[in-house]
Structure formats: C-alpha cells, structure tokens
Amino acid sequence: GDYNQKIDYVFKVVLIGDSAVGKTQLLARFARNQFSLDSKATIGVEFQTKTLIVDNKTIKAQIWDTAGQERYRAVTSAYYRGAVGAMLVYDMTKRQSFDHMVRWLEELRGHADQNIVIMLIGNKCDLGSLRAVPMEDAEEFAQRENLFFMETSALESTNVETCFLTILSEIYRIH
Ligand code: GDP
Ligand code: MG
C-alpha cells in the first residue's frame, strides 16, 4: 500500500493487449494480491498504484488498465501520455492474442516516448496443456523487437511480482 512517505519517482506503466488476456487480473494480483474468475465484477478504474523500494529509492508505480477499450485504435493517446513502461499482454492459450501483439506494438510505438521500456507477457501459464503459443515464438519476437519477455499466471501468482519488478527496475535504471 501507499504510506505517508517521501516518493522519489512516479512511473506510469500502461497495460495493453486484447480483451480477456488477463490485464485486469495481473494488475489486481500485483497491486492488491487479488484475483477474480469473474473479471466483470472489477470496477473499471483508470489506474492503480503500488509503492515499492528499488535501490533505496521509493518508487510509486502508477499502472494503467484499459477499461474495455481494447478494440483496434480505440485506446486514446491520453492513455499512453507520459508512460515510461508498457506491458504487452497476450493469452498463451489464444494464438490470435499473440498475433495481435504486432499491432499493439505498432500503436504503442506511435504514441509513446522513444525510450519506453516494453515487456511482452504471455499470461495464463497455469493452463499449460492448452498452450497455443510456443515459448520460442514469443522469445524470437521479443528479441527482434527488443522487448523483455516473461510468462505469467495471475491465477497462480507466477512471475507477476517479478515481471513488474523487472520493468520498474529497468525504468529506474534508465531514468
Ligand atoms: P482483460 O480483459 O485483459 O482485462 O482480462 P481479465 O483480467 O478481465 O481476465 C479475463 C478472464 O481470464 C477472467 O475470467 C480471468 O479470471 C481470467 N484470467 C486472467 N488471468 C488468468 C490466468 O493467469 N490464468 C487463468 N486460468 N485465467 C486467467
Ligand atoms: Mg480488463
């Protein structure tokens, strides 16, 4: 949570990707350690914050979530404004959500700062038997586009903390 402490940095990070890949649940898990199977119960807030310490500095992560604006080009430029990090999320059981990463990346690069730190996330890795995106495909794409890459499960908490800490540490490192 946020305490009455001195904040050294505020970093805006945006979540993008197709509908139903798990963006809202990743954020709920990271910010509040919560998860819901019925995501519609989640109220569409613009962003959530979480304060953490990196290298003795207090960093407030302000993480933005799309509230049902996932249709192509429906996300407005205000959403991207000031973002220093982006999480490109696909569902590893839905090939199409991975194929759409090209578009999301193009849209992101069209709006965001040059030096934005981007992480590709293959979510729902708890559903390994339904895998539709080989890890090598994602690694290759990430390498080609210069993105960090991780597979996560918001349901089981796998790599959720790690992926946010990784992107925030890298943002801190270059700022
Ligand atoms: P969003 O539209 O990208 O924000 O997706 P949501 O966060 O609303 O999640 C869509 C659905 O996928 C919901 O039913 C979630 O409970 C489910 N979901 C999200 N993350 C995971 C996960 O890591 N594993 C599994 N099995 N289901 C997930
Ligand atoms: Mg959502």
Side-chain angles (χ1 to χ4, degrees):
D2 293 345
Y3 306 102
N4 225 350
Q5 61 198 347
K6 182 176 154 279
I7 305 290
D8 296 301
Y9 299 93
V10 178
F11 291 147
K12 176 177 174 179
V13 174
V14 293
L15 288 164
I16 48 175
D18 284 5
S19 181
V21 296
K23 300 180 298 297
T24 298
Q25 293 311 311
L26 282 168
L27 180 52
R29 176 64 78 194
F30 177 63
R32 293 177 275 118
N33 197 23
Q34 289 177 359
F35 180 85
S36 166
L37 275 171
D38 177 18
S39 221
K40 288 185 204 90
T42 319
I43 304 153
V45 283
E46 279 191 314
F47 62 81
Q48 299 208 39
T49 61
K50 180 155 170 149
T51 302
L52 43 131
I53 313 286
V54 174
D55 208 15
N56 271 330
K57 296 280 192 281
T58 306
I59 291 172
K60 185 188 240 179
Q62 188 185 80
I63 301 156
W64 289 60
D65 186 16
T66 54
Q69 315 158 312
E70 290 97 336
R71 281 166 300 108
Y72 188 49
R73 295 205 164 137
V75 176
T76 62
S77 48
Y79 187 74
Y80 296 103
R81 193 167 304 135
V84 289
M87 311 283 239
L88 275 175
V89 188
Y90 66 93
D91 174 344
M92 55 159 272
T93 72
K94 296 252 158 34
R95 179 72 204 191
Q96 186 173 256
S97 71
F98 175 71
D99 293 338
H100 287 167
M101 291 287 94
V102 181
R103 287 185 190 176
W104 283 110
L105 186 59
E106 184 187 83
E107 178 165 303
L108 174 65
R109 292 220 161 108
H111 284 92
D113 288 354
Q114 197 91 47
N115 62 348
I116 189 166
V117 180
I118 308 170
M119 178 171 282
L120 178 68
I121 305 242
N123 189 40
K124 307 196 188 183
C125 71
D126 55 283
L127 302 174
S129 58
L130 301 173
R131 176 188 288 274
V133 181
M135 203 181 240
E136 302 76 52
D137 290 16
E139 278 168 347
E140 195 184 295
F141 177 66
Q143 202 161 16
R144 188 170 63 238
E145 297 291 346
N146 200 21
L147 320 172
F148 288 86
F149 167 63
M150 248 173 235
E151 288 190 344
T152 61
S153 167
L155 173 66
E156 293 184 343
S157 270
T158 314
N159 275 343
V160 177
E161 183 107 15
T162 309
C163 74
F164 281 101
L165 286 180
T166 302
I167 194 169
L168 290 163
S169 301
E170 177 64 10
I171 291 164
Y172 169 73
R173 195 182 68 76
I174 67 168
H175 282 82

